[in-house]
Amino acid sequence: MLNSAWFPHCTEATKQKSAEILDGVLIKLKIWLRGYCIIIIIESIFYTITFTLLGVQFGLILGLIAGCTILLPYIGPVVSALLTIIISLTIGDMSMSRIIIIILSYIIMTGIIDQLFIYPAIVGGALGLNELETIVVVLLGGMLFGITGMIFAVPTISIIKYLIPEIYKLIEEFNTNK
């Protein structure tokens, strides 16, 4: 890409700096994906243990599905909870108290612990955002762009937060070399 028409008359130093900046952006995206994978593992373990303790049939599979649904904010956990409840009711060995505990586990884990603590600490923290910034960015992303905005708000802001100082450095270097 650096030898394409995008950089027609650039010096080698400019191409080198561009490559460094692109590498920094890619590192941010890798950190974001790694954070999501860690959250999926944490949630899968939580739900698998919870379902096993409650005696839910297919607890391992349903726990893994529940862990993966974090990729779709709000919709994923609701669909996963409905799937778990429907399977439990279909098999017929589930009491109403267990169903309420399943629903509460989703609300507590996904709605409170994950959204307010795990995601901001693991993903936001790794990307250089504090917990409050992460929560605000996700909420603004959701308000402006819906579910897609919620998913991509944190990596987008972390990349912007990385690029702004880099752009200022380039402008400063350019003005110094004049």
Side-chain angles (χ1 to χ4, degrees):
M1 183 172 111
L2 296 177
N3 292 323
S4 68
W6 284 68
F7 294 93
H9 305 294
C10 294
T11 65
E12 283 302 314
T14 302
K15 289 181 183 180
Q16 178 65 29
K17 186 63 180 171
S18 300
E20 290 172 15
I21 291 172
L22 288 174
D23 286 343
V25 169
L26 290 175
I27 287 169
K28 295 286 184 187
L29 292 174
K30 286 179 186 178
I31 291 169
W32 174 67
L33 285 174
R34 186 178 307 125
Y36 254 115
C37 290
I38 291 168
I39 291 172
I40 288 171
I41 291 168
I42 290 169
E43 290 211 5
S44 294
I45 291 169
F46 171 81
Y47 287 117
T48 300
I49 290 171
T50 302
F51 296 159
T52 303
L53 292 174
L54 290 173
V56 174
Q57 292 283 334
F58 311 110
L60 175 64
I61 295 168
L62 292 171
L64 293 174
I65 291 170
C68 291
T69 60
I70 193 64
L71 295 172
L72 292 171
Y74 299 111
I75 293 173
V78 169
V79 170
S80 177
L82 288 174
L83 177 68
T84 304
I85 292 168
I86 290 170
I87 288 175
S88 298
L89 289 174
T90 304
I91 294 173
D93 65 344
M94 191 60 56
S95 66
M96 189 54 92
S97 61
R98 286 186 182 170
I99 291 173
I100 291 172
I101 293 172
I102 290 171
I103 293 169
L104 287 175
S105 71
Y106 274 95
I107 291 170
I108 292 169
M109 182 60 178
T110 304
I112 299 171
I113 296 173
D114 180 54
Q115 297 300 322
L116 295 177
F117 301 106
I118 296 174
Y119 187 80
I122 292 176
V123 176
L127 290 172
L129 303 173
N130 65 40
E131 287 79 5
L132 182 61
E133 286 175 323
T134 304
I135 293 168
V136 169
V137 164
V138 170
L139 291 174
L140 287 174
M143 287 172 39
L144 296 174
F145 302 106
I147 291 174
T148 306
M150 294 174 79
I151 295 171
F152 294 109
V154 171
T156 302
I157 287 301
S158 74
I159 289 170
I160 290 170
K161 193 174 178 179
Y162 166 75
L163 286 177
I164 289 174
E166 293 297 323
I167 291 169
Y168 277 118
K169 288 178 195 173
L170 290 174
I171 291 171
E172 194 174 284
E173 286 176 24
F174 179 76
N175 288 335
T176 304
N177 291 335
K178 271 188 158 182

